[in-house]
Amino acid sequence: MNEEKKLLYMKHIRKAFPGVLVLDDVDFSVGYGEVHGLMGENGAGKSTLIKILTGIYPSDEGTIEVDGKEVQIQNKYDAASCGISVIYQELSLIPTLTVIENIFLGQELTKGKVFLDRKAMRKRAQELVEKCHFDIDLDAAVENLSVAKQQIVEILKSLLFDAKIIIMDEPTASLNIQESESLFEIIRRLKAQGTSIIYISHRLEEIWNLADRLTVLRDGKVRGVLSKEEIEPAKVVHMMIGKDLQEEDSVVHDPIAGGSVLKIENLSTPELLDKITFEARGGQILGIGGLVGSGRTETLECIYGLRRYTEGKITIDGETVADKAGRVRKQGIGLVPEDRRVQGLVQGLSVADNIALTNYDVMFRTSYITPRKIVETADKCIRQLRIKTPDGMTKCMNLSGGNQQKVVLAKWLERDLKVLLVDEPTVGIDVGSKAEIYGILRSIADQGKVVIVVSSDVEELLKISDRILILVNGKVYDDIPNRGLTADDLLLAASGMSKKEEV
Ligand SMILES: Nc1ncnc2c1ncn2[C@@H]1O[C@H](COP(=O)(O)OP(=O)(O)OP(=O)(O)O)[C@@H](O)[C@H]1O
Ligand SMILES: [Mg+2]
């Protein structure tokens, strides 16, 4: 075959961690000005391949060529000098610094040798923000930003440095539709300027729209490299999971009477929420949609006792819900938070310990804590959610992103909850596991429990919710049974401009 020369070649890459062969003789190449998609199940080895390319891990075997020259990439400086820039799946910002400080961290502009040129930095940052149509306050502390905004900071940071290859590991995982669209626009612009992009995503439609070629990994091996014309959903899914995806029948049920009832009345906070009122019934999955900043996460945080509210009442089966998370949990309410890395897991602890941590009270009725029970419980969760890990004793920080998300969910499956609140349940989760998680949420509801799911993924809301509540600017805008609803209906409602208003 007469193949044109590519910008990047990774050849025969092999990488093993104790107990797992993560990459097995992987060949990967990226052309000049090409958007190259990289897909694979959770734990397939995508992030690891990128970490080898950027000098985070050494490979056990294999070579890397950039622009026709073999290179040694042993750290991020080597990567930078090869023109490789990366936005990691787990954001790596400093929470207490401002946006602008984070963007320039390690690449500060200076006057002379020692003085920071703040004016020049601000000017450059503003240009970038304008060029990309991002809505972000350069002086805000990163810790006060939503995950979506933090993602934007990460993108700005990498755009600043004029890279030949920009790697994006699930960049749209926490962006809303407009933000994603503007990112795609940036990607197209970068491509037109000759920059190459490696784009990792679990969302096939993004890959389909953006990628010139796609490499699919499964269990550490390359299962195929497809050109744009060859990218077909069924084929890609088959390559990824090694079989056809069993399409679940629509799991949406009619509301079942009975079960617990969670009532929210006139919930208001000084910042945002304005007399939020709704009821969630056991046996139902209540979806909450709306734009980022519409008050979805805040509502869940108020229910779970993480956020103070100035007015309003929350009751479960007629009993007032406490205002402290520890007590709320005892009342049978659980929360799977939006930001798993900070709120969901203790990274340095094992999978088993993380699961046990929230569950000591239910796992051990007596005062004896047996390691065996902890391990057995973890094994059960690992099987149930197909968590990819050598065993329960592996630290969470060594799990792939999607598998960490599964551990956060697993923590709550052990408890006999009345109410499960889940914020963005499938961010970073591969297609096969998504279907399984939907099945698990449904089975929890089927036990008469209340399940509330906040999601920015409109298709997801439509697939799993019995009823959908739409929040706009901290108010309940609509509360609709999920019958015959379309993505367009939801998007219109979330923007606060549904047909109802026109009348
Ligand atoms: N430092 C490490 N120590 C031990 N095992 C690791 C380490 N880093 C990754 N692994 C293992 O390597 C495998 C591949 O992980 P990787 O993060 O590359 O997956 P991924 O394809 O990016 O998945 P996801 O879609 O969930 O992000 C996983 O099974 C993970 O547990
Ligand atoms: Mg990953």
Side-chain angles (χ1 to χ4, degrees), residues 418-434:
K418 288 182 181 168
V419 178
L420 179 63
L421 311 168
V422 264
D423 202 347
E424 305 288 358
T426 62
V427 166
I429 297 277
D430 69 55
V431 275
S433 306
K434 250 188 198 174

Side-chain angles (χ1 to χ4, degrees), residues 199 220 461 481:
Y199 193 90
L461 281 181

Side-chain angles (χ1 to χ4, degrees), residues 437-473:
I437 288 176
Y438 297 157
I440 288 168
L441 293 177
R442 175 54 63 190
S443 72
I444 295 172
D446 281 346
Q447 293 161 30
K449 295 169 179 176
V450 177
V451 177
I452 301 184
V453 177
V454 163
S455 178
S456 301
D457 182 343
V458 174
E459 298 299 335
E460 173 163 292
L461 281 181
L462 288 171
K463 206 170 226 166
I464 61 173
S465 327
D466 300 304
R467 254 173 64 215
I468 299 176
L469 197 74
I470 301 286
L471 300 189
V472 175
N473 291 332

Side-chain angles (χ1 to χ4, degrees), residues 15-23 38-51 57 89-90 169-170 200-202 217 220 340 388-390 394-405 428-430:
K15 177 74 189 173
F17 290 110
V20 261
L21 178 56
V22 179
L23 295 171
L38 184 55
M39 292 192 84
E41 281 188 293
N42 296 132
K46 305 176 296 292
S47 296
T48 306
L49 185 68
I50 295 315
K51 285 177 182 163
Y57 299 140
Q89 185 174 16
E90 293 84 21
D169 197 346
E170 298 188 40
I200 301 182
S201 176
H202 289 293
L217 288 179
R340 61 177 169 252
K388 191 168 176 192
T389 170
T394 303
K395 286 184 182 154
C396 280
M397 62 189 187
N398 290 337
L399 259 48
S400 79
N403 283 295
Q404 292 183 6
Q405 176 76 347
I429 297 277
D430 69 55

Side-chain angles (χ1 to χ4, degrees), residues 39-184:
M39 292 192 84
E41 281 188 293
N42 296 132
K46 305 176 296 292
S47 296
T48 306
L49 185 68
I50 295 315
K51 285 177 182 163
I52 288 171
L53 179 58
T54 51
I56 309 272
Y57 299 140
S59 64
D60 302 338
E61 281 168 31
T63 55
I64 302 176
E65 272 175 38
V66 179
D67 227 354
K69 278 199 293 288
E70 185 170 333
V71 292
Q72 303 296 327
I73 302 179
Q74 275 154 3
N75 51 51
K76 62 177 182 182
Y77 304 106
D78 291 347
S81 68
C82 293
I84 298 169
S85 153
V86 64
I87 302 169
Y88 285 108
Q89 185 174 16
E90 293 84 21
L91 303 179
S92 48
L93 302 172
I94 312 241
T96 48
L97 295 184
T98 64
V99 171
I100 194 161
E101 286 164 343
N102 265 287
I103 299 177
F104 284 94
L105 194 69
Q107 45 188 351
E108 292 86 355
L109 303 181
T110 50
K111 274 188 282 207
K113 277 220 169 78
V114 280
F115 297 108
L116 291 178
D117 192 347
R118 291 187 191 276
K119 225 164 140 189
M121 288 195 270
R122 180 166 299 272
K123 183 155 170 281
R124 180 90 180 86
Q126 265 159 355
E127 280 167 8
L128 266 181
V129 167
E130 272 161 36
K131 190 170 127 201
C132 309
H133 309 286
F134 283 150
D135 168 25
I136 196 151
D137 173 7
L138 290 175
D139 299 306
V142 161
E143 62 190 347
N144 297 331
L145 298 179
S146 66
V147 184
K149 291 261 159 95
Q150 293 187 14
Q151 181 82 47
I152 291 174
V153 181
E154 238 357 284
I155 293 169
L156 284 170
K157 198 169 158 173
S158 110
L159 290 177
L160 196 67
F161 142 60
D162 247 348
K164 284 192 252 182
I165 305 178
I166 298 182
I167 304 161
M168 302 185 179
D169 197 346
E170 298 188 40
T172 56
S174 25
L175 300 187
N176 67 29
I177 294 176
Q178 288 96 320
E179 288 164 335
S180 300
E181 280 302 327
S182 62
L183 175 69
F184 301 155

